Amino acid sequence: MIEEGSKRGKAMVEKRQLFMEMRAQNFDVIRLSTYRTACKLRFVQKRCNLHLVDVWNMIEAFRDSGLNTLDHNAEINVSRLETILSSIYYQLNKRLPTTHQINVEQSIGLLLNFMVATYDSEGHGKLTVFSMKSMLATMCGGKIVDKLRYIFSQISDSNGVMAFAKFDQFLREVLKLPTAVFEGPSFGYTEHSVRTCFPQQKKILLNTFLDILMADPPPQCLVWLPLMHRLANVENVFHPVECSYCRSESMMGFRYRCQQCHGYQLCQSCFWRGHANGPHSNQHQMKEHSSWKSPAKKLSHAISKSLGCVPIGEPPHPMFPEQSEKPQDSMAHTVQPKPVANNMNNTMLMSSGAPTPTKSVLESPSRLDEEHRLIARYAARLAAEAGNSTQCPPTDLSFNFDANKQQRQLIAELENKNRSLREILQEIQRLRLEHEQASQPTPEKAQQNPTLLAELRLLRHRKDELERRMSALQESRRELMVQLEGLMRLLKDEEQKQAAQTGGSPHSSPSHGAGCSMPMPIRSTSAGSTPTHTPQDCLAGVGGDVLEAFAQGVPRNLRNDLLVAADSITNTMSSLVKELHSVDDAAEEEDNNMRNGGLRDRAEAE
């Protein structure tokens, strides 16, 4: 009795240990429930050393334990579950090197208590076979596509079509994992979970199943599953970028870049906790990056993509053959699309869960008949191809040879162009780095001679002022030229009008009788006459002779007056040109002083 009490007390301590360690990680500060759930389950996976067990090793353990012969709804007690977990971990230690051995007893205790707390909350001391398979196949290591293929083999019928009732049962079991880590309100099971995953499809085959569960985004109830695999892939990814919030000079894991704020990037810790500063807001759309590419690599990849050297998009998974075979707790009907060696085939068949693969699978009547049909089909195809090749004339052979030769030449040319392009990109990157290093003053130089930097800033500021003044003078010169052109046009019009009124005398004065219906184009309003038709500020900046020519009420010889005004504008232009030359000389003198000062300080420093 005392020993049983001590065992129960030890089991309770071990049961609480994993959850206490998980709470110590403070995952609850993560703002988004998807990342929070994935982080918690990833912690459980690593703490129980399940990430070291591949899905193929897990399937082999199911076969060795005889679970393939049991019905999904059959129950096993905790002692047999402990035996199965012991076999899994002891086999794992045999595969690991001696320097990376795990503590088997501790791993068994943590995983056993977690599974019991997840799937035996009422304390019956029993778990169903399907519960154990679903949990271990989901939480073990390996690729997500291999896990989903095995799960599909468990929920499909004899025709290779998914049974919705079995998929509903799988969701019931797998969604107990988020509930076990206190995320049930976000990812708990509901009666509508199946239809949210497959809202329209009636007949679900393997590739359709993989397309939907591996889509971006996946179904909402299982969105944490691919994220947990992405977390495992980016744990050791390094990003040489500064976080815009915590100012950490490097990032590990995920990197998040704002789609609205230019250059704003956050590390995964700041993004998960909802940190933001400056103009950035948590409502902005962020893009998740799981790798780092230098600007040169991004440019090279963009050019290669535009040239068609790399595929624009890759499918999320390879296409698998849709075979109508009765599942036997194996993945025989979802084999790899490419043929592999015989020993690899034997390993896959052994790990698929068949008790005696060489007898129950390879020598089954249905399998033998299918193999005979395939052999006969391939033999007929080979015979047809051989007949076509014998009937093919020599010209076709030479044509095929020439076509292959042209293809090889084209491939060689493309490879040479690609190699040249890479060399050009490398040279551009090298020159860019040299230019940046040469243009940016180093902190050592700034510390050695801060006076030089202050003088350089002052000279640069003075140069900017001179450039602005030069731009203003050029604008004034342009306005004067426009005014001169307008005056000359008015002079020409006035001469033509006088010639029309006086019968050809261009120098006679115009008539100012009451019957004159056309007013003078330019007049001063201070003389009490009709307002002018052009803006009065058109004479701004012109000499006093022009103003005097148009200020008097009596008519004058406008040609002489405009010539005087042109002389005044010419004098103004001359003064502007002289001032511009003086500004240029001053700027050139400032540049020479700046260069001489820099050379003098550099000589003194040397």
Side-chain angles (χ1 to χ4, degrees):
M1 295 295 294
I2 297 177
E3 293 180 357
E4 292 180 358
S6 61
K7 289 182 180 180
R8 291 179 181 176
K10 182 180 179 181
M12 291 297 295
V13 172
E14 292 178 349
K15 182 178 180 180
R16 297 175 181 175
Q17 179 182 354
L18 184 63
F19 295 101
M20 292 174 63
E21 293 179 359
M22 185 177 65
R23 287 193 181 96
Q25 299 295 320
N26 201 18
F27 290 122
D28 291 330
V29 299
I30 299 177
R31 182 169 56 97
L32 301 176
S33 60
T34 304
Y35 288 95
R36 191 167 61 242
T37 305
C39 288
K40 289 181 178 181
L41 292 177
R42 175 63 178 167
F43 172 79
V44 173
Q45 182 190 44
K46 293 181 66 176
R47 189 65 183 87
C48 297
N49 290 315
L50 277 175
H51 66 294
L52 302 175
V53 184
D54 192 82
V55 62
W56 301 104
N57 302 127
M58 193 64 71
I59 297 172
E60 184 179 1
F62 295 161
R63 179 190 64 82
D64 293 339
S65 302
L67 296 181
N68 59 300
T69 60
L70 299 177
D71 186 76
H72 283 173
N73 297 323
E75 294 182 344
I76 58 174
N77 53 27
V78 177
S79 60
R80 185 174 179 181
L81 175 61
E82 185 176 2
T83 303
I84 296 172
L85 298 181
S86 302
S87 174
I88 293 172
Y89 283 115
Y90 280 113
Q91 292 295 328
L92 172 63
N93 254 357
K94 291 180 181 180
R95 294 188 297 269
L96 294 176
T98 55
T99 56
H100 293 77
Q101 297 287 307
I102 64 171
N103 189 340
V104 175
E105 297 298 330
Q106 185 182 21
S107 301
I108 293 172
L110 291 174
L111 182 56
L112 179 64
N113 289 309
F114 179 76
M115 293 182 67
V116 170
T118 304
Y119 294 101
D120 187 27
S121 58
E122 297 180 359
H124 297 303
K126 294 182 180 181
L127 279 75
T128 63
V129 173
F130 191 67
S131 299
M132 191 186 67
K133 286 183 178 180
S134 300
M135 185 272 173
L136 294 178
T138 303
M139 295 294 292
C140 67
K143 298 180 180 180
I144 185 173
V145 62
D146 295 333
K147 295 182 180 181
L148 294 177
R149 287 169 60 203
Y150 173 73
I151 291 170
F152 185 82
S153 70
Q154 301 298 302
I155 62 176
S156 57
D157 58 13
S158 59
N159 296 321
V161 180
M162 187 192 77
F164 280 90
K166 292 183 179 180
F167 180 71
D168 180 76
Q169 185 181 3
F170 166 73
L171 286 182
R172 289 176 183 270
E173 302 300 336
V174 78
L175 291 180
K176 291 180 181 178
L177 294 172
T179 305
V181 293
F182 314 106
E183 296 295 334
S186 300
F187 300 104
Y189 171 81
T190 62
E191 296 179 355
H192 305 287
S193 298
V194 177
R195 287 302 172 187
T196 57
C197 297
F198 304 101
Q200 298 177 354
Q201 289 80 2
K202 299 295 181 64
K203 183 179 181 181
I204 308 298
L205 300 178
L206 173 61
N207 290 309
T208 306
F209 181 79
L210 296 178
D211 288 339
I212 293 176
L213 294 190
M214 296 183 65
D216 188 16
Q220 180 61 31
C221 61
L222 295 175
V223 68
W224 51 270
L225 181 57
L227 179 58
M228 186 176 68
H229 286 79
R230 296 205 307 272
L231 281 174
N233 294 330
V234 302
E235 284 181 347
N236 299 319
V237 174
F238 175 78
H239 305 270
V241 183
E242 182 183 16
C243 178
S244 300
Y245 184 83
C246 67
R247 300 301 177 186
S248 176
E249 296 181 356
S250 60
M251 303 181 190
M252 294 292 292
F254 286 120
R255 173 171 55 92
Y256 298 89
R257 182 166 55 89
C258 182
Q259 301 296 293
Q260 299 183 25
C261 305
H262 178 70
Y264 193 89
Q265 302 189 79
L266 293 176
C267 62
Q268 66 177 21
S269 179
C270 293
F271 175 73
W272 289 353
R273 285 157 177 78
H275 293 164
N277 58 346
H280 178 69
S281 171
N282 288 330
Q283 305 301 323
H284 291 181
Q285 184 179 3
M286 303 290 285
K287 185 176 182 180
E288 181 181 277
H289 295 272
S290 57
S291 62
W292 163 256
K293 290 183 181 179
S294 62
K297 288 184 178 180
K298 290 181 180 178
L299 179 61
S300 176
H301 184 74
I303 295 176
S304 300
K305 183 183 291 185
S306 63
L307 295 177
C309 299
V310 295
I312 298 177
E314 296 182 357
H317 64 85
M319 295 299 293
F320 298 99
E322 306 285 0
Q323 299 182 6
S324 58
E325 182 177 359
K326 184 178 179 180
Q328 299 178 2
D329 194 29
S330 65
M331 301 185 69
H333 68 294
T334 57
V335 294
Q336 297 286 348
K338 297 181 180 180
V340 292
N342 291 332
N343 56 352
M344 195 65 181
N345 284 331
N346 294 335
T347 304
M348 290 178 63
L349 290 170
M350 289 178 62
S351 62
S352 64
T356 55
T358 57
K359 293 183 180 180
S360 62
V361 177
L362 294 180
E363 295 181 0
S364 61
S366 59
R367 177 58 62 87
L368 290 176
D369 294 340
E370 185 178 358
E371 288 181 355
H372 291 163
R373 287 195 298 270
L374 288 175
I375 292 171
R377 189 183 306 167
Y378 291 150
R381 184 180 301 175
L382 290 174
E385 292 178 355
N388 293 333
S389 62
T390 55
Q391 297 175 2
C392 182
T395 56
D396 293 340
L397 293 177
S398 62
F399 176 78
N400 293 335
F401 178 77
D402 294 338
N404 293 334
K405 185 177 180 180
Q406 292 177 0
Q407 290 178 358
R408 287 195 297 270
Q409 291 177 354
L410 180 60
I411 291 173
E413 292 177 0
L414 291 176
E415 289 178 352
N416 293 331
K417 291 181 180 179
N418 193 14
R419 191 180 302 108
S420 302
L421 181 61
R422 286 198 299 269
E423 293 175 357
I424 292 172
L425 291 175
Q426 291 176 0
E427 184 67 17
I428 291 173
Q429 182 67 13
R430 184 183 64 81
L431 294 175
R432 184 181 299 169
L433 292 175
E434 290 180 359
H435 177 70
E436 290 178 355
Q437 293 176 0
S439 61
Q440 294 181 357
T442 58
E444 291 79 6
K445 294 181 181 179
Q447 293 177 0
Q448 291 176 1
N449 197 350
T451 307
L452 175 61
L453 292 178
E455 292 179 355
L456 289 175
R457 294 193 201 96
L458 183 61
L459 290 173
R460 190 177 293 110
H461 181 67
R462 177 59 178 166
K463 183 179 179 182
D464 295 337
E465 290 181 353
L466 291 174
E467 290 178 352
R468 288 194 296 269
R469 185 179 177 188
M470 186 182 298
S471 300
L473 291 174
Q474 291 176 354
E475 183 67 21
S476 299
R477 181 172 63 181
R478 187 187 65 79
E479 293 177 356
L480 289 173
M481 294 297 294
V482 172
Q483 293 176 8
L484 179 60
E485 183 180 0
L487 291 173
M488 295 300 294
R489 187 166 57 250
L490 291 174
L491 174 62
K492 184 177 179 180
D493 295 341
E494 184 65 24
E495 287 180 351
Q496 292 177 357
K497 185 167 62 174
Q498 289 178 1
Q501 291 178 357
T502 60
S505 177
H507 297 286
S508 60
S509 299
S511 175
H512 294 277
C516 181
S517 61
M518 184 178 293
M520 293 290 292
I522 298 179
R523 273 186 194 175
S524 174
T525 56
S526 61
S529 60
T530 308
T532 61
H533 286 209
T534 59
Q536 189 68 21
D537 57 358
C538 66
L539 299 177
V542 185
D545 295 332
V546 178
L547 295 176
E548 184 180 357
F550 296 102
Q552 298 180 4
V554 296
R556 295 179 55 185
N557 192 342
L558 294 179
R559 182 180 182 85
N560 295 332
D561 294 340
L562 289 174
L563 289 175
V564 172
D567 291 338
S568 176
I569 292 175
T570 304
N571 295 331
T572 306
M573 293 292 298
S574 300
S575 63
L576 286 173
V577 171
K578 290 180 181 180
E579 187 173 359
L580 286 173
H581 283 303
S582 64
V583 171
D584 293 337
D585 294 338
E588 184 176 0
E589 184 179 357
E590 291 290 343
D591 292 339
N592 292 332
N593 293 335
M594 182 171 60
R595 285 196 295 270
N596 294 333
L599 293 174
R600 182 174 63 255
D601 294 338
R602 186 179 300 172
E604 292 177 358
E606 292 179 355

